[in-house]
Amino acid sequence: MPETASVSHVESARDTALAELAAAGTAEQTEAWRIAWLGRRGQLTQVLRGIRDLSPDERRSVGAAANQVKNILEQSLAQHQHAIASSKSEAEDRADAIDVTLPGWPAPIGGLHPTTQMLREICDAFGSMGFDVVEGPEVEWDRYNFEMLNIPRGHAARDMWATLWVDEPDEDGDYPMLMRTQTSPMQIRTMQERKPPIRVIVPGKCYRYEATDATHEWHFYQVEGLAVDRGITFADLKGTLYEFARRIFGEERQVRFRCDYFPFVEPGVDMSISNFKDPETGKRPINRDEDWIEILGAGMVHPKVLEGVGLDPQIYTGFAFGMGPERIAMLKYGIEDIRLFYSNDLRFLSQF
Ligand code: FA5
């Protein structure tokens, strides 16, 4: 197109420009077209610049035509750019489209926590011996956690259970509510609700305000057991716990009872499971320099406890025990540190 032009030149330039734009199939070609026609040195720009050299009449008619063509080209450019951009994203969409015929990624499936598995195993073992499973509150009254278990206020034995108290004092300024330190309060609740013969086990969480180490957590589980009837003896307690140990650990593992003191039983014992070195490998089930690991406390229900719930100790006797399922899982699976259970490390948890 010459630098100065007539209206017909401007119009034929418009037709050429539009034809070239229609042929520009990519964003790059469209940009080259923009520079060639509408850029600072573009053909239409040159015409607009040349208008000033025309006679006033020509200036008016050619100027109007050139401005109209400029508008047309700019609008056509915008439409063309939009069309190219959307056809590009359609192509990209096709490339990104999901191929539903490809095999999918397997979704990771969660498993039961090792404590849950152990609790179920323990409940199954006692269930087959005729025990019912019951549950009770984790926030408990002092009355159930201590007083009715023959541990009155000021009793030295309260020190055995470092307690987390709930900050709700009563009108005397005493703190009657606590996080249960043991599942034993469920002995009282059960004997208040049921009449003998009673055979229950109680799985549940306990809390203690104490430092943690490889065998102690500040929050852990216990499984309480209680049997009350006429004529229950210490031999029944031992027989039940031996049978339990045999089912969980097999015939080979040894069991040790020792005298222990709990104010709500008389006599009281604790029970440990052997952690001896294997004669061939020299390894222990739990890699700790201890031959025995304590898993539970137990004993014959104290006559005062029976009286407190309205049962005549001359007629009824009973045994009770409270065991730590994490310790049992540690012995069974060779877990060296109880803190692994609740540190949420999937490398540990996914092994079970
Ligand atoms: C008691 O809590 C008694 N209530 C048990 C009992 C019940 C005795 C019925 C007599 C009759 P003890 O504090 O020893 O006792 O705990 C019992 C078991 O709970 C322990 O043998 C252990 O296996 C587990 N245990 C206790 N403290 C912790 C802790 N901090 N972390 C993990 N497990 C624990």
Side-chain angles (χ1 to χ4, degrees), residues 161 182 184 208 210 217 222 224 262 294-297 322 324:
W161 293 276
Q182 50 185 349
S184 299
R208 290 189 193 176
E210 61 182 32
E217 257 293 3
Q222 282 190 343
E224 192 79 9
F262 302 96
E294 183 204 301
I295 61 159
L296 62 85

Side-chain angles (χ1 to χ4, degrees), residues 265-286:
V265 288
E266 180 58 37
V269 290
D270 61 47
M271 182 174 124
S272 300
I273 300 289
S274 61
N275 188 42
F276 302 151
K277 281 186 183 161
D278 183 300
E280 281 170 22
T281 62
K283 286 192 173 162
R284 296 176 186 273
I286 301 184

